[in-house]
Amino acid sequence: DFYVGPVDPKISSTQLHVEPLAEFRRVVTARRGHPMLGAKSISDLADARWVRPTMTVRSTEVDIDRMVKEIGGQAPKIVMHANSTLASLVAQLGSDLLTIMPEVCLDSPLFGETLQAIPIREELPASPISLVRRHDMPLTPMAEHLADMLRRVAIQYEHKRRNEA
């Protein structure tokens, strides 16, 4: 009925309705106890090895190289590609690999109990999340209810994020 996730901002279609929901702040993550948790700047992570999360939507692939360079760091040493956030988590738990993920992932017990954000001073670009559906097909009542719940969660997230800033 609909898709929720990152969408190429250049998407233009008369068949699709793209509804922005929220922008998830991204952070550099490492396993708890990682030797680089005290890093204060992206430049402090120059010798780190990274796992690159790869998403199925090629145009929204997390481009760690671009993000790191934009905030003043050196090109990261990518040593692994992961096809899912869970694969990134597993890779990080058994190694000293770093990655970039939405900060909201750390609110989940699975991630929050095993990973930490490295508190670098530079801010990474946010990950915009949208709800995408077809213009010509109304949502079923159940799908509309789920979409409404997702909208409410997105509003709560944005409100929480603004209050923490």
Side-chain angles (χ1 to χ4, degrees):
D1 290 293
F2 59 82
Y3 161 81
V4 175
V7 177
D8 184 349
K10 295 178 239 120
I11 192 171
S12 175
S13 172
T14 57
Q15 297 177 340
L16 298 175
H17 173 74
V18 178
E19 178 184 344
L21 294 176
E23 288 199 355
F24 290 162
R25 185 174 154 229
R26 288 184 175 127
V27 293
V28 176
T29 61
R31 65 170 172 77
R32 291 198 176 272
H34 192 286
M36 293 184 166
L37 285 173
K40 301 294 181 211
S41 174
I42 195 70
S43 61
D44 296 340
L45 304 175
D47 293 329
R49 297 174 338 149
W50 296 74
V51 56
R52 179 194 311 268
T54 305
M55 302 176 68
T56 55
V57 182
R58 299 298 293 160
S59 59
T60 60
E61 182 175 312
V62 177
D63 187 352
I64 291 177
D65 299 68
R66 179 185 47 80
M67 277 192 262
V68 169
K69 287 177 188 175
E70 281 178 4
I71 61 173
Q74 297 177 11
K77 296 174 182 124
I78 307 293
V79 298
M80 181 180 172
H81 294 261
N83 290 331
S84 70
T85 305
L86 187 57
S88 293
L89 169 69
V90 171
Q92 286 188 281
L93 291 180
S95 71
D96 282 339
L97 295 175
L98 304 180
T99 197
I100 293 174
M101 66 175 52
E103 183 180 42
V104 70
C105 290
L106 298 178
D107 291 341
S108 159
L110 178 64
F111 292 91
E113 293 175 9
T114 55
L115 298 179
Q116 284 184 257
I118 297 179
I120 60 172
R121 67 177 155 267
E122 300 88 356
E123 191 168 323
L124 295 165
S127 173
I129 303 299
S130 298
L131 185 145
V132 182
R133 61 184 181 83
R134 290 178 47 172
H135 273 300
D136 63 348
M137 184 177 291
L139 295 177
T140 64
M142 187 59 75
E144 188 62 53
H145 180 71
L146 178 57
D148 283 341
M149 290 189 330
L150 291 166
R151 289 178 188 111
R152 283 188 227 137
V153 168
I155 289 168
Q156 289 174 351
Y157 170 78
E158 290 290 338
H159 179 72
K160 177 184 172 191
R161 190 175 64 118
R162 283 189 196 106
N163 287 340
E164 290 175 353

